[in-house]
Structure formats: structure tokens, C-alpha cells
Amino acid sequence: MRRLTRGFHRGYTLGIPFKGWCGERVVHMPSIESGRINLVLDCDPVAHRSKVEEVVKMMEIELGSGWIFHKSCKVYLFISSQMIVGCLLAEPIEQAFKVCSCSSNGGSEGTSAKEVARQSSTSLQFGDISFKREVKKRTCSVNSPEVLDGNLNGAIICENEGVPAVCGIRAIWVTPSNRRKHIASQKLDAVRMSVCMDSALELSQLVLSQPTSAGKALASNYFSTGSFLVYKTNRCGSSIMGCSSLISVSIVEVHYVATLQRRKGVYA
């Protein structure tokens, strides 16, 4: 049992051993100097699909179980030094929604909620010393941490009007020891180059499922903006990040929704 546990932990941390297949469907990417990306489809041999299922089990440790993989997914495996060190699953979709921008009026991107201090008329008098109470009033904005991150239970605030879309990134994962090596970005590039037979997708045509905090950081860096596109999957709870709820509201309604969410309401 201990040996099995060590093997599973090693696979999760470093990658899953992979000796290669006959007739691999390699997505050729000139930017990848060491390693390759294999594309696996549902019509491929059982051995190929079994390896995908093994990788998905590793992904479920962080992303939650029961939702990641289905037969319509195109699976991109990143292989390096005879190890599978990353996986991306793409699926056909029809509609996406734009995430409200992280930038605020008059401030830089990522600025927290505005704090406005005002003096209250309430005061305490002790002899010649007077104490006045100062109250800090917090005003939630679209870019506030409450809206974008922790205090909204992982919710994503997006615009109300949907736009047509063709390719959704259902899940993306890299082993802990191989992160910050641009593997996730290279897999996204591979999807753009290969998901459509006749032409490559534009950067703006990639759509993410409800991302975790790490996923939002990746998306903001890859798309060079906080206003990327997202779509809703049949996603259940995650063991670490919790279930992400996609909230479709107009920008005018954001402040009201933020107030309701702080009262422990979850709106899908």
C-alpha cells in the first residue's frame, strides 16, 4: 500500500510514465524545444483512452471529480522525458460570455476596492480629550477582490449578453514540478493551431470554463487582459478550489450582486 501511495504521489508531482504509442497524433509546435504534444480522440485505440483516464484521475485531485472528461473532448497531452506532465481538454461550444474587466476607472488593473474615510458625528469626551470615531466605507467595484476572488465563493462576474463561440477549454492542468515553464500556454497554442481543420483560431476565439484563481491568472497573462471569454460547464464541486459559479449579469448589476453574495448567496 505504501508503495502504491508513493507511486501515485510521484505521478501527480512529476508526471505519468509514458513510453509512447505507434501512430501518435502529434501536434507540431515549433516553439516546443523539448517535448511534444499528442492529441487523443474518442475514436483512438483503447490503450490511448485508458492513458487519458489515468491522467484525468491525477487532474481530479485539484479540479474535482466527475466532470472533467467526456467523449466529445479533444485531449492534448504534453509529453517530456517520457512523462506526461500536462493535459488540456477542449470541447465544442456554442456560446460564451465576457468577464467584466479587472481594470477600474482612474486606477490601474488589479486595484482593490475603493476605501473612502468619513468622519462620524459620534464622539467621546474624556476631560479635555475628545475622541472621534472614524468609519471606513468600502465600495465594491467590478475589480474588487470580493467580486473577482475569494469572498464570492469563486464566482465569475460576466456580461449578460452572450457571443458565438466554437472552442471551449474545459480543463487544463500541469504537474506541480513543471509549472511556470509555459507548458499551459504552449498547450493553448496547440489547440488554436489544430482544433479546426481548415484554419487556426484567433487568440480571442479561445474560451475557458469557469477558472480557479490560478486559471484566472493564467488567462489574464495569456490573453493580456482580464476581459477574456468564459462558458459554463456541468461542473460539480472541486476538492480544493470549490465549485465555480458563473454569474451572468449586466455591469450595472455588479454592485448589487456583490452585496447579495456577501450574505452567503450563491447564484449560478
Side-chain angles (χ1 to χ4, degrees):
M1 179 62 70
R2 184 176 299 178
R3 181 179 298 178
L4 290 174
T5 302
R6 284 201 302 266
F8 188 85
H9 178 73
R10 178 181 175 83
Y12 167 76
T13 305
L14 303 178
I16 297 173
F18 180 75
K19 296 181 179 180
W21 298 317
C22 293
E24 290 183 353
R25 190 183 290 103
V26 178
V27 180
H28 296 285
M29 300 293 296
S31 60
I32 301 178
E33 297 180 357
S34 59
R36 66 188 186 278
I37 295 178
N38 279 0
L39 172 59
V40 183
L41 305 177
D42 186 60
C43 60
D44 286 346
V46 175
H48 298 199
R49 289 181 279 123
S50 296
K51 182 60 70 173
V52 168
E53 291 175 0
E54 185 179 351
V55 176
V56 168
K57 288 181 180 179
M58 295 294 178
M59 298 174 67
E60 289 178 341
I61 296 175
E62 287 188 75
L63 304 179
S65 61
W67 70 274
I68 295 176
F69 178 67
H70 61 76
K71 291 185 177 182
S72 297
C73 287
K74 292 186 176 182
V75 183
Y76 293 79
L77 301 176
F78 194 101
I79 295 120
S80 177
S81 302
Q82 294 189 321
M83 305 281 281
I84 298 175
V85 300
C87 180
L88 180 151
L89 293 93
E91 65 179 338
I93 60 173
E94 296 180 355
Q95 189 179 48
F97 297 86
K98 188 176 182 180
V99 173
C100 293
S101 175
C102 293
S103 60
S104 62
N105 296 329
S108 60
E109 184 167 339
T111 306
S112 61
K114 297 178 181 179
E115 292 185 356
V116 181
R118 63 180 177 83
Q119 294 291 333
S120 172
S121 59
T122 303
S123 62
L124 296 176
Q125 190 76 27
F126 294 92
D128 295 333
I129 302 175
S130 178
F131 294 91
K132 290 186 177 181
R133 185 179 65 181
E134 185 180 84
V135 178
K136 285 188 176 182
K137 182 180 180 181
R138 295 178 60 85
T139 304
C140 285
S141 61
V142 173
N143 65 296
S144 68
E146 289 90 344
V147 173
L148 294 178
D149 293 303
N151 293 340
L152 286 188
N153 299 317
I156 300 297
I157 305 298
C158 64
E159 295 181 4
N160 187 50
E161 185 176 355
V163 297
V166 294
C167 179
I169 306 302
R170 188 171 178 87
I172 184 168
W173 176 78
V174 178
T175 57
S177 64
N178 288 282
R179 292 172 186 174
R180 300 188 181 278
K181 297 181 180 180
H182 306 292
I183 291 177
S185 297
Q186 290 172 338
K187 287 186 293 184
L188 290 170
D189 288 339
V191 173
R192 290 175 51 212
M193 297 299 109
S194 65
V195 74
C196 292
M197 298 297 295
D198 52 350
S199 62
L201 294 179
E202 297 293 334
L203 188 66
S204 60
Q205 291 179 290
L206 282 186
V207 184
L208 303 182
S209 66
Q210 311 94 282
T212 61
S213 297
K216 282 186 282 188
L218 168 65
S220 296
N221 181 65
Y222 184 76
F223 297 111
S224 299
T225 177
S227 296
F228 50 90
L229 294 175
V230 296
Y231 72 104
K232 187 173 182 179
T233 64
N234 295 324
R235 178 173 180 169
C236 59
S238 170
S239 58
I240 293 180
M241 296 297 182
C243 182
S244 296
S245 300
L246 181 63
I247 302 178
S248 180
V249 295
S250 64
I251 295 178
V252 181
E253 298 170 323
V254 167
H255 299 312
Y256 178 63
V257 171
T259 302
L260 293 178
Q261 288 284 44
R262 286 200 300 274
R263 295 175 183 173
K264 299 182 180 180
V266 178
Y267 299 84

